[in-house]
């Protein structure tokens, strides 16, 4: 599903050059649950941004379902994101002016589905995540855990094959953090590939594999006895 080879990312300003990733190599098979760990500033979020086609590498290759995606025109990259990738962020990134229903429905509007199709999918998603009673609430009226549940629903409502989660439990207490991790694990058990950046060793242990990054280098990959399982690489 994912193969990156000798990936390097350098950020340059007029006076400063910052190397965020150095010759990173990684493969992720369909259906895996991978946790990316490492200290702050190690390159975790940069790697996630490249995997999500939100950023491009300075050097190296990124193959997504066999296609060298990092060098594609922006329209093609946008189509790949829309059709395949869902994002879950630490700060939820919900639209405060939209209701729970409308936030979850938003990706389906971009897919061009009919109103009746959108309603059926959104209602099913809300029922599964126990958010139906909150359908007409706005994000500021929800707790942090509820907002993250809406964010997870939005990330998966289009049946995306890959979910990228950047510190999804970072702003939550332990109870809500456990709930969000359970949702991610359930998605993974249903066949969705999950790649999660986290500082938490406890939450990283939920993954089938841990990838550690230090100073821009992928320094090790540990197979864990977690929820995910390492499958044959394609």
């Amino acid at each position: 599903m994912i193969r990156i080879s000798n990936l390097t990312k350098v950020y340059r300003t007029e006076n400063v050059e910052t190397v965020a990733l150095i010759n990173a190599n990684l493969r992720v098979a369909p259906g895996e649950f991978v946790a990316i760990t490492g200290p702050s500033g190690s390159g975790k979020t940069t790697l996630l941004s490249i995997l999500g086609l939100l950023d491009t590498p300075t050097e190296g290759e990124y193959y997504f379902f066999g296609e060298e995606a990092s060098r594609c025109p922006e329209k093609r990259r946008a189509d790949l994101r829309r059709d395949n990738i869902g994002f879950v962020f630490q700060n939820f990134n919900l639209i405060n002016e939209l209701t729970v229903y409308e936030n979850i429905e938003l990706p389906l509007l971009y897919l061009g589905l009919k109103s009746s199709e959108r309603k059926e999918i959104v209602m099913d998603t809300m029922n599964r995540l126990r958010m139906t009673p909150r359908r007409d609430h706005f994000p500021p009226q929800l707790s942090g855990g509820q907002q993250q549940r809406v964010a997870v629903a939005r990330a998966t409502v289009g049946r995306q094959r890959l979910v990228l989660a950047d510190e999804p439990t970072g702003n939550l207490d332990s109870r809500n953090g456990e709930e969000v991790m359970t949702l991610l694990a359930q998605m993974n058990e249903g066949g969705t590939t999950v790649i999660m950046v986290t500082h938490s060793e406890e939450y990283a242990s939920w993954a089938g594999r841990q990838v550690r990054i230090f100073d821009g280098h992928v320094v090790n990959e540990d197979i864990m006895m977690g929820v995910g399982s390492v499958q044959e690489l394609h």
Side-chain angles (χ1 to χ4, degrees):
M1 181 182 194
I2 285 174
R3 176 169 65 87
I4 64 172
S5 178
N6 298 320
L7 208 68
T8 295
K9 178 63 180 182
V10 181
Y11 294 100
R12 295 185 175 93
T13 64
E14 184 175 344
N15 300 314
V16 178
E17 180 176 284
T18 303
V19 181
L21 290 172
I22 306 171
N23 294 327
N25 294 278
L26 178 67
R27 291 192 179 201
V28 178
E32 280 199 85
F33 188 162
V34 178
I36 300 175
T37 66
S40 297
S42 60
K44 303 185 302 298
T45 296
T46 296
L47 177 58
L48 207 69
S49 295
I50 292 174
L51 294 178
L53 299 172
L54 299 173
D55 201 353
T56 57
T58 305
E59 297 177 5
E61 299 175 325
Y62 171 29
Y63 285 90
F64 187 56
F65 287 104
E67 181 176 356
E68 216 295 23
S70 64
R71 309 302 176 191
C72 289
E74 179 52 39
K75 184 181 185 305
R76 175 57 181 159
R77 290 158 54 81
D79 288 344
L80 287 170
R81 284 195 303 270
R82 180 197 64 203
D83 297 338
N84 297 283
I85 304 174
F87 297 89
V88 180
F89 301 97
Q90 177 176 347
N91 294 321
F92 319 132
N93 285 13
L94 301 176
I95 299 175
N96 287 339
E97 292 75 24
L98 299 182
T99 65
V100 165
Y101 182 100
E102 292 165 339
N103 267 282
I104 297 172
E105 181 188 34
L106 192 59
L108 302 179
L109 292 172
Y110 294 127
L111 291 175
L113 299 182
K114 296 179 181 178
S115 177
S116 58
E117 293 177 289
R118 296 198 307 271
K119 182 176 181 179
E120 180 179 354
I121 294 171
V122 173
M123 293 303 297
D124 176 66
T125 301
M126 286 195 301
N127 286 335
R128 285 191 292 108
L129 299 185
R130 307 191 312 278
M131 290 304 299
T132 303
R134 303 286 185 176
R135 60 168 293 172
D136 295 323
H137 287 67
F138 294 91
Q141 297 174 307
L142 306 176
S143 69
Q146 289 169 338
Q147 289 188 62
Q148 195 62 294
R149 261 195 278 161
V150 176
V152 170
R154 184 183 60 185
T156 58
V157 69
R159 306 295 191 265
Q160 286 83 350
R161 293 188 282 181
L162 171 66
V163 167
L164 301 176
D166 191 0
E167 295 285 356
T169 62
N171 284 338
L172 304 178
D173 58 30
S174 59
R175 182 179 63 83
N176 284 308
E178 290 271 336
E179 186 171 270
V180 168
M181 289 304 303
T182 298
L183 292 175
L184 293 175
Q186 288 172 346
M187 288 190 304
N188 178 245
E189 289 171 348
T192 302
T193 304
V194 178
I195 302 177
M196 174 184 69
V197 162
T198 182
H199 282 97
S200 168
E201 292 184 8
E202 177 186 355
Y203 293 142
S205 69
W206 287 59
R209 180 158 58 110
Q210 291 188 31
V211 175
R212 183 166 177 79
I213 298 182
F214 187 78
D215 285 348
H217 296 272
V218 175
V219 294
N220 75 306
E221 297 182 41
D222 298 326
I223 296 174
M224 307 297 293
M225 299 303 291
V227 176
S229 60
V230 177
Q231 304 177 24
E232 181 182 356
L233 298 176
H234 298 284

